[in-house]
């Protein structure tokens, strides 16, 4: 059907223009990069669903508040594009030419995976801004929260190199690499970020020639990576150890996975100031500075 794009928005001004509500949505469906596999009947695709809800509230002329929440989700199936004569090698250097697929040119836009790599991503965003106009000054608060997760499909991460090149034809959707229990309910990447900022600025020049902005900012980000990589194949993974490895035979019992966990946390504290002097002869002089304190702590742990 080709690409499909739908979006909609609704504005609801209510309470005598003191409160305005907006809903917006987006749906997008396409064939991603269009790369298909010569060893699979599945088609690549990317589906995006997004919705946004925002509110603007002005209880009095001196106060303005804006709050927005957005939820996004995308889901894609993808084949890695390859080109070449179907080279021998992989798990068996003596494998015949083209054992992992027919010759493919770059213009064919083909891959050789027997099943696609599935990826899902979710994100939630909340932003808030409050402005208070008082005595020709503007006091502003800005805050935000962001949560982002990536889930790699239960067939994609452990042997990505072997899957994309089809070096192990015996590894199929019906006979996949074994997955650890946590992989079915834990995103491979998770990130949480929150920010807080408070600013005080002039709305009209003080004494007719000076504008200023003073403020402080805080950001906290927490990351978590939980993924599994391939450590090695033991003898017996590709047929009997008494013979040459056969890439058309795969026994998942003889696979050694490597669990990689990498949590990290970042903090930023900063204070800033800016002064603008409106001088004669259409001249302005701006002077500003910012002090930043940044911390990051984390580690990477690999478990066999």
């Amino acid at each position: 059907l080709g690409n499909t794009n739908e979006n909609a928005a609704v504005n609801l001004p209510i309470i005598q223009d003191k409160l305005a509500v907006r809903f917006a949505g987006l749906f997008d469906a396409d064939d991603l990069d269009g790369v298909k596999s010569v060893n699979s009947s599945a088609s690549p695709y990317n589906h995006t669903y997004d919705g946004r809800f925002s509110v603007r509230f002005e209880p009095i002329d001196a106060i303005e508040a804006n709050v927005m929440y957005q939820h996004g989700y995308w889901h894609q199936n993808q084949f890695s594009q390859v080109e070449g004569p179907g080279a021998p090698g992989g798990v068996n250097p003596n494998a015949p030419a083209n054992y992992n697929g027919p010759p493919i040119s770059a213009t064919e836009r083909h891959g050789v995976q027997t099943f696609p790599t599935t990826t899902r991503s979710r994100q939630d965003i909340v932003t808030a801004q409050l402005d208070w106009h008082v005595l020709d000054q503007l006091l502003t608060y800005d805050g935000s929260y962001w949560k982002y997760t990536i889930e790699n499909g239960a067939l994609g991460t452990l042997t990505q190199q072997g899957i994309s090149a089809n070096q192990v034809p015996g590894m199929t959707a019906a006979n996949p690499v074994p997955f650890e229990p946590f992989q079915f309910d834990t995103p491979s990447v998770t990130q949480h970020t929150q920010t807080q900022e408070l600013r005080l600025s002039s709305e009209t020049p003080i004494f007719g020639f000076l504008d200023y902005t003073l403020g402080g900012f805080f950001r906290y980000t927490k990351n978590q990576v939980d993924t599994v990589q391939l450590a090695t194949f033991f003898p017996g993974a590709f047929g009997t150890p008494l013979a040459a490895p056969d890439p058309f035979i795969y026994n998942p019992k003889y696979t050694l996975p490597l669990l990689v966990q990498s949590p990290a946390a970042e903090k930023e504290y900063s204070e800033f100031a800016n002064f603008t002097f409106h001088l004669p002869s259409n001249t302005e002089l701006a002077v500003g500075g910012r002090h930043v304190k940044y911390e990051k702590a984390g580690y990477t742990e690999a478990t066999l």
Side-chain angles (χ1 to χ4, degrees):
L1 297 178
N3 295 348
T4 301
N5 296 276
E6 299 288 344
N7 61 77
V10 178
N11 294 296
L12 301 175
I14 53 179
I15 313 182
Q16 297 180 345
D17 297 329
K18 296 298 183 182
L19 177 66
V21 179
R22 178 179 173 86
F23 299 92
L26 168 71
F27 168 71
D28 175 60
D30 57 54
D31 61 356
L32 196 62
D33 52 11
V35 175
K36 296 184 177 182
S37 174
V38 297
N39 294 313
S40 173
S41 60
S43 297
Y45 63 80
N46 178 77
H47 292 168
T48 301
Y49 311 86
D50 219 307
R52 181 186 303 135
F53 171 77
S54 56
V55 177
R56 178 180 177 86
F57 183 47
E58 298 182 34
I60 60 176
D61 291 341
I63 295 179
E64 304 166 2
N66 293 276
V67 180
M68 186 276 294
Y69 168 70
Q70 179 171 323
H71 175 74
Y73 170 78
W74 61 265
H75 176 202
Q76 71 176 34
N77 274 5
Q78 182 176 22
F79 294 101
S80 297
Q81 182 180 358
V82 297
E83 63 89 17
V91 299
N92 186 356
N94 299 318
N98 305 329
Y99 87 95
N100 58 348
I104 296 175
S105 68
T107 58
E108 290 181 274
R109 301 185 62 79
H110 282 160
V112 291
Q113 295 173 226
T114 56
F115 48 86
T117 298
T118 299
T119 306
R120 296 177 176 87
S121 177
R122 293 176 174 85
Q123 68 173 2
D124 291 279
I125 303 172
V126 179
T127 63
Q129 178 177 327
L130 178 64
D131 291 326
W132 182 24
H133 306 264
V134 55
L135 301 175
D136 290 330
Q137 314 303 306
L138 177 61
L139 181 63
T140 300
Y141 165 79
D142 282 317
S144 70
Y145 173 78
W146 179 49
K147 179 182 178 181
Y148 179 73
T149 62
I150 294 178
E151 300 174 7
N152 289 321
L155 299 174
T157 42
L158 186 55
T159 54
Q160 184 59 45
Q161 182 178 358
I163 290 174
S164 61
N166 197 31
Q167 292 189 353
V168 186
M171 190 182 298
T172 65
N175 187 38
V177 174
F179 266 58
E180 301 297 322
F182 84 92
Q183 291 179 265
F184 293 96
D185 54 19
T186 302
S188 54
V189 177
T190 303
Q191 179 170 318
H192 301 261
T193 298
Q194 60 171 300
T195 65
Q196 314 282 343
E197 182 176 284
L198 188 64
R199 297 190 307 273
L200 180 64
S201 59
S202 57
E203 289 201 291
T204 59
I206 300 175
F207 308 121
F209 71 90
L210 173 62
D211 280 316
Y212 75 92
T213 299
L214 305 172
F217 176 79
F218 170 75
R219 177 176 65 87
Y220 175 70
T221 299
K222 183 178 180 181
N223 299 305
Q224 178 70 40
V225 176
D226 295 287
T227 187
V228 174
Q229 298 178 357
L230 176 63
T232 187
F233 293 113
F234 288 126
F238 306 108
T240 172
L242 303 179
D246 186 346
F248 293 92
I249 300 175
Y250 172 60
N251 189 337
K253 294 181 179 180
Y254 298 93
T255 300
L256 180 63
L258 178 69
L259 169 61
V260 179
Q261 296 175 298
S262 182
E266 301 176 50
K267 291 183 179 180
E268 177 186 338
Y269 307 87
S270 61
E271 305 84 35
F272 54 89
N274 187 83
F275 300 92
T276 300
F277 299 90
H278 305 278
L279 305 176
S281 303
N282 296 323
T283 301
E284 290 185 351
L285 172 64
V287 179
R290 187 181 192 105
H291 175 262
V292 179
K293 178 182 179 182
Y294 173 80
E295 303 172 351
K296 181 176 182 179
Y299 64 88
T300 299
E301 181 178 79
T303 305
L304 287 173

